[in-house]
Structures are given as C-alpha cells and as structure tokens.
Amino acid sequence: MKKLIISGLAMFMSLTSVMAQEETGIGNHLGWGVGFGTEGFNASIATDLTQYAELEFGVNYAPGFSRKSDGGVFHSPELGQNRKYINYTDKKPVDIGVKTSINRATLDFKGSVYPFATNENFSSDLFVSLGVSFASKEIASIEGSCTSNGIAPEDLEKPLFVRAGKFMLPVDKKSGELVVDGSCRVNSVRPYVGLGYGRLVPKNTLGFRVEAGCQFSGSVKVYHGDEEVKLLSDYNIEAKSTAKKFMDFFSIYPVLKVSLRGKFF
C-alpha cells in the first residue's frame, strides 16, 4: 500500500510538472484568487483559453450593514385630484424610525481579454473584462414602526405613506401602530464591464491583479409586499436628495477590486 501511495504521488508530481511547462492553451492551467473591493470579499477560480483570453468563476460577499433614519408620515390624494400632499408638521410631527438593511452577495462569470499579451513592440497584462453577475433581486429591506398617537382619527382612515428615497412607501396600521415594511429590488442578472492589470492565472506561482469596472443592476424599485410602489414625482412631491442618490448608486454599481492570484497547475 505504501509503495502504491508513493508511486501515485510521484506520478501526480510528474504530471503537474509537465502541465506547468506547457504553453498557455485551453484549460492547460487552473488558477485561484482571493481579494477584496467594493463588492466585498471575493474568491474565484480561473482557467486560460489562449494567451489572449481567460475565464473566471467567482463569488463576492459584502457583510450587511444598516442605515437608520426618520420618515415623516403623510397622506396624499389620489392621482388626478389636487396633487398637494399633507403631512403633520403643522400639527404634531409624526415620524417613523426606519431601518434599511443592505446585503450583497453575487456570483460572477467573466472573461478577460489581453490585447497586448504578445507584441513585438509592447507586451503587457492589461486586460478588458466582460461578463455577468447573478444575485438576489432584493438588495435591501426596509422596516420600521411607531405609535399612531398624534394622527387624527379621520386621517387614520386615509392611506398613509413615508418617503423611501424617491418612492412613496405605504404605511400599514396594525393594533395602534404604524408599520413600514418594504424591499428595494434590482435586476438579478447584471452585465459587467471592466478593465485592469494582471493575470487571472499568473505566469509565476503568485501574482497580483487590480480591476475597475461597472455592474449594471438596472433601476432600483421599491416593493410593498409583491406590489411595486409609486414614485413621489407622480404626486408632485420632491424626493430627498440624499436618499435618492443612495438608491441611484446601486443602479450602476462601481466595482474596484484587488486580488492575490495563484495557480494550482
């Protein structure tokens, strides 16, 4: 048994040595990578196709974080009527403490092209990357509650809302409380384009790679249950710029990552 194990290890080491000496070609080498960036921590495996192209499959995970704010309660007439919303700042302010929790985890399938891999006058590991990322549609959850004290009984019979970026998020009334419950969603399939420097499968044992690009997530939409909510602009209500910019940021998500690359063989 020992001789068999030793013989097997010797054969594996010999095969690995031979494969490592082969020139770059389809599936000749398998690489790995770990790093971090605006998508969070990332890990991937990659293989070469030719000296000009490589393929990568990876996963990114960003630890969740929360953002708290106060949302002013208001009601608005139906569309087509007098579009002037009413809040309660002229009476007694009624605010809901709103907590927005954000989580990001994506799977990537990308290809990198090295146009200057072999050139008599200029050789470089500069690359252009194209691919697609897959993730859950929901990028954030919105929740909050407060008592209904301060709102006139006749106003409690009307539809109530809070601002969620540039959206009107309905407020539910449950057992004397005002409750907010919603989610922010984008496309689950997100095209990607980027550029940078460094090989997915390094020529030596280890290498570094830096990449900058954009992930196109599509417009952020807010849902209450399974129903898409209306825009504030539909009611001629101005959106708060800070929250609006915060949501628009996720429509075209900037990607910047630095990674350590290595190869199995």
Side-chain angles (χ1 to χ4, degrees):
M1 180 62 73
K2 291 183 179 180
K3 290 183 178 180
L4 182 60
I5 294 174
I6 293 173
S7 299
L9 289 173
M11 290 178 63
F12 177 77
M13 293 176 66
S14 299
L15 179 62
T16 303
S17 177
V18 170
M19 295 183 74
Q21 294 174 13
E22 291 180 354
E23 294 183 357
T24 301
I26 299 176
N28 278 359
H29 302 287
L30 182 67
W32 56 267
V34 292
F36 63 93
T38 56
E39 292 182 297
F41 299 100
N42 61 79
S44 69
I45 57 174
T47 186
D48 49 11
L49 298 179
T50 70
Q51 58 186 331
Y52 297 102
E54 296 175 323
L55 285 179
E56 175 189 25
F57 176 77
V59 59
N60 306 281
Y61 175 74
F65 67 93
S66 299
R67 180 176 181 270
K68 294 183 178 180
S69 61
D70 290 329
V73 178
F74 65 92
H75 65 76
S76 178
E78 294 296 325
L79 289 173
Q81 298 181 20
N82 181 22
R83 297 185 181 185
K84 181 181 179 182
Y85 77 95
I86 302 173
N87 61 22
Y88 294 93
T89 55
D90 57 338
K91 302 177 183 178
K92 180 180 178 181
V94 177
D95 290 335
I96 291 183
V98 179
K99 178 181 177 182
T100 304
S101 301
I102 297 175
N103 290 285
R104 287 185 62 87
T106 57
L107 297 177
D108 294 335
F109 184 72
K110 299 176 181 177
S112 295
V113 178
Y114 303 83
F116 308 112
T118 302
N119 189 293
E120 293 181 358
N121 300 319
F122 178 72
S123 179
S124 173
D125 287 336
L126 289 170
F127 67 85
V128 176
S129 180
L130 298 172
V132 62
S133 297
F134 303 90
S136 169
K137 289 184 177 181
E138 183 176 315
I139 60 170
S141 61
I142 305 171
E143 59 182 13
S145 64
C146 73
T147 66
S148 59
N149 297 335
I151 298 182
E154 61 272 18
D155 289 331
L156 282 173
E157 300 300 320
K158 302 174 183 178
L160 299 177
F161 303 90
V162 294
R163 292 180 179 86
K166 55 185 177 182
F167 298 91
M168 291 180 61
L169 183 60
V171 175
D172 297 320
K173 304 142 193 172
K174 299 179 180 178
S175 303
E177 281 195 327
L178 304 181
V179 179
V180 172
D181 184 12
S183 62
C184 300
R185 304 180 191 179
V186 294
N187 297 335
S188 59
V189 180
R190 307 163 190 173
Y192 172 84
V193 60
L195 52 85
Y197 184 87
R199 286 271 176 175
L200 289 171
V201 182
K203 298 173 183 177
N204 300 315
T205 304
L206 293 174
F208 289 93
R209 178 179 166 100
V210 60
E211 181 175 352
C214 290
Q215 184 186 97
F216 299 92
S217 304
S219 299
V220 177
K221 298 179 180 179
V222 174
Y223 283 78
H224 178 242
D226 293 325
E227 183 177 350
E228 185 178 347
V229 306
K230 295 182 180 295
L231 292 166
L232 287 164
S233 58
D234 291 338
Y235 288 80
N236 199 29
I237 303 173
E238 184 179 357
K240 290 185 177 180
S241 58
T242 302
K244 180 180 181 298
K245 290 178 180 179
F246 182 74
M247 285 188 167
D248 290 343
F249 175 80
F250 286 94
S251 297
I252 302 179
Y253 190 81
V255 174
L256 177 63
K257 63 172 64 176
V258 177
S259 58
L260 173 67
R261 309 299 309 187
K263 63 181 178 181
F264 296 108
F265 57 79

